[in-house]
Amino acid sequence: MSGLTHPPAGTPFPLTYEQDWFHTKTRTAGWSHKNVQLGFEILGALDTDALAAAVRAFVVRHDALHLQLAPDPGPHPRQWTRPVAADEEVVQRLKVKAASPGQFSHYASALLSRDCVTPWSYGTQRPFRIRLLRHDENHHALLATFQNLVFDGRAHHLFGYEVWRDYEALRNGEPLPDTAPSFAEAAVRQRARAGGRQRERALAGWRERLAFLTRTSWTAPAGAPRTESGEVGAELPAAEVAALRGMCAEFRFTVLQSTVGFFVAALAARTGAAEVGLWTSMDSRSSRDADVVGMFAGSCPLTIRDATAGAPAVRTQVRDQLLNALRHQGLTAEDLAALTREAEETGGAPVNRDIYVNLRRFEGDSAVADDGGRLRITADAYPLHRITFHDTFALHLRCTEFRDRLCIDLLYDGHRADRRLARSILDDMLAGITAAVRGARPGEA
């Protein structure tokens, strides 16, 4: 749609397919509300005015954060933008009286936890809440929550990257960008390009994958005991991540594609499953819209038809499935509900949703020095407290890639997969990664 103009403030425009899916699930499927949360611990002499200005600049230029819906949106809402007023408060600053850094961190976690589960009031409320907490002149916390309807994993990364970039620019007396790619414009483009032949391909792709998932339900290994749910985890340090990244570049994989491949291969080896169906979250942004803040992430099934083919072949299947799924995302929530019903009626079994893979990638380090080395900034510094979200998956793999480390967590539900199985799968994954990066040769990685 060349020549498309930015929809003026107040002009309705459609939800993205992923917004539509998320909105429908929260309205009709009993989903618990949960905002996207970010928490940065900041140690050192912070220029609070510069940080507040950088955050405000991010909010002002990204129109997804200006979105409004009607107080009662209904099943097929339209959305519009309401720009941020010149005198509107964007960052709430709080001085916290805490007896110790530990008590301050506990308070920050509690506040972030409350904001995480507080629903967005449709109508006039902004779809975000941003707080800057001060313990003392050398210890601050930046807490932010965003309504998931306007914010996804890519937006999460862009917030951290752009805010700290702009903080540095302000400290150096440099101007900030005053515009950003429009979410409203990207949403209109997405809808325009997903009709006709593209829609038919998307329907066919989903129909095939959902049919596969009706015949590949999870089977717990014989004799597996029932246990409490829990998780096991591991981290690959910078040197191993660099080696893995080099291997992936040589064989044209991403680190996360390769990691999922190692997971599927380990899962098949431990359970004997020849076919593996799993779900992941897929970002449907085009390359043109890579830096658009908004909601373009939706669940997507992956079907691995020969999980026992060996790690290299399994990783190739995973990569091909992810690329294929990316091309076939443009369907409404009604389309997906109808396809699911059709698959279950034809297959005579529920669609398998037993394994989920959550992938996140950040371009920077997990903890970074900024502002000329005067600051130490740590992301994901404040864990949520007293919040329990029911995980419906037998196994849930969470991979977070930073430049300096790869964090891998494997959650298990206790009755379909126990701690021993989860631990063995994770250990096999790590062993596979180590063996591959130490002895990779063409055709064997």
Side-chain angles (χ1 to χ4, degrees):
M1 294 184 66
S2 60
L4 180 69
T5 58
H6 188 126
T11 301
F13 62 94
L15 273 64
T16 64
Y17 289 111
E18 294 78 16
Q19 283 183 301
D20 175 54
W21 177 83
F22 180 80
H23 177 68
T24 298
K25 288 292 187 181
T26 53
R27 285 187 71 253
T28 63
W31 275 18
S32 299
H33 179 88
K34 182 183 178 183
N35 295 312
V36 178
Q37 83 275 0
L38 301 88
F40 295 91
E41 180 186 60
I42 309 162
L43 302 179
L46 177 69
D47 184 336
T48 55
D49 289 338
L51 181 56
V55 172
R56 180 180 179 83
F58 180 89
V59 170
V60 167
R61 67 176 175 260
H62 286 289
D63 61 349
L65 304 184
H66 309 169
L67 292 186
Q68 299 293 305
L69 274 74
D72 183 9
H76 302 292
R78 303 280 282 181
Q79 56 192 347
W80 63 92
T81 59
R82 178 171 62 88
V84 177
D87 60 349
E88 187 174 345
E89 182 182 80
V90 169
V91 180
Q92 181 183 9
R93 304 197 205 189
L94 298 172
K95 175 68 172 73
V96 178
K97 294 181 179 180
S100 66
Q103 189 181 78
F104 174 77
S105 294
H106 182 83
Y107 177 80
S109 287
L111 190 57
L112 186 63
S113 300
R114 188 185 73 186
D115 289 347
C116 178
V117 296
T118 300
W120 179 25
S121 296
Y122 296 112
T124 59
Q125 183 183 3
R126 295 295 186 188
F128 60 85
R129 182 173 287 108
I130 305 172
R131 306 180 192 271
L132 180 57
L133 311 186
R134 182 180 188 272
H135 176 50
D136 58 41
E137 62 182 6
N138 291 305
H139 191 171
H140 294 79
L142 179 64
L143 311 179
T145 52
F146 299 89
Q147 158 68 301
N148 211 163
L149 197 67
V150 305
F151 216 76
D152 61 10
R154 175 63 180 170
H156 184 290
H157 165 72
L158 290 170
F159 177 86
Y161 169 74
E162 292 188 13
V163 163
W164 292 112
R165 177 201 66 191
D166 291 354
Y167 173 83
E168 282 286 293
L170 289 168
R171 294 280 291 166
N172 293 328
E174 300 167 357
L176 303 186
D178 56 5
T179 61
S182 167
F183 174 66
E185 189 175 319
V188 174
R189 271 199 303 274
Q190 185 206 55
R191 290 283 184 155
R193 67 173 179 260
R197 188 175 180 183
Q198 176 66 20
R199 172 177 163 78
E200 292 305 313
R201 288 177 175 176
L203 289 168
W206 274 85
R207 183 173 287 113
E208 179 182 359
R209 284 175 285 156
L210 291 174
F212 177 95
L213 289 169
T214 63
R215 66 172 192 268
T216 56
S217 60
W218 171 264
T219 301
R226 286 178 174 264
T227 65
E228 294 295 321
S229 60
E231 65 181 277
V232 294
E235 289 187 9
L236 292 184
E240 288 193 42
V241 173
L244 176 60
R245 196 169 285 127
M247 184 201 79
C248 290
E250 181 180 356
F251 295 96
R252 298 184 179 180
F253 290 94
T254 69
V255 168
L256 294 176
Q257 288 170 354
S258 188
T259 303
V260 176
F262 284 113
F263 167 69
V264 172
L267 175 69
R270 289 289 174 173
T271 64
E275 296 183 320
V276 174
L278 60 154
W279 291 77
T280 191
S281 181
M282 179 64 66
D283 182 347
S284 70
R285 284 173 176 78
S286 66
S287 57
R288 173 182 181 177
D289 295 326
D291 291 334
V292 173
V293 167
M295 177 54 166
F296 289 99
S299 287
C300 171
L302 307 178
T303 55
I304 311 304
R305 298 180 181 276
D306 188 359
T308 60
V314 170
R315 291 200 297 280
T316 298
Q317 290 179 69
V318 168
R319 178 187 60 190
D320 292 348
Q321 279 284 300
L322 286 166
L323 293 175
N324 181 62
L326 179 60
R327 293 191 291 265
H328 296 157
Q329 282 293 92
L331 297 176
T332 67
E334 290 181 347
D335 289 332
L336 297 180
L339 287 169
T340 300
R341 287 194 301 270
E342 174 189 315
E344 294 181 340
E345 290 170 359
T346 303
V351 167
N352 166 16
R353 298 179 184 271
D354 294 325
I355 306 172
Y356 190 82
V357 175
N358 181 228
L359 309 175
R360 296 195 303 166
R361 181 177 180 271
F362 298 95
E363 294 170 10
D365 291 341
S366 55
V368 299
D370 212 329
D371 193 19
R374 290 185 292 273
L375 296 181
R376 177 98 178 151
I377 304 160
T378 303
D380 293 333
Y382 302 104
L384 300 181
H385 285 174
R386 297 181 180 179
I387 296 177
T388 301
F389 293 99
H390 180 60
D391 202 333
T392 61
F393 312 107
L395 290 169
H396 180 176
L397 180 72
R398 298 191 301 202
C399 300
T400 305
E401 179 190 357
F402 298 96
R403 185 167 51 195
D404 63 336
R405 63 176 175 151
L406 176 66
C407 303
I408 305 173
D409 295 299
L410 183 56
L411 286 68
Y412 54 91
D413 72 349
H415 66 277
R416 288 175 294 175
D418 65 349
R419 183 178 185 84
R420 182 174 59 184
L421 176 63
R423 184 76 256 176
S424 65
I425 291 171
L426 183 58
D427 288 345
D428 287 354
M429 284 179 63
L430 298 175
I433 291 172
T434 299
V437 299
R438 288 181 179 175
R441 293 189 298 275
E444 296 182 10

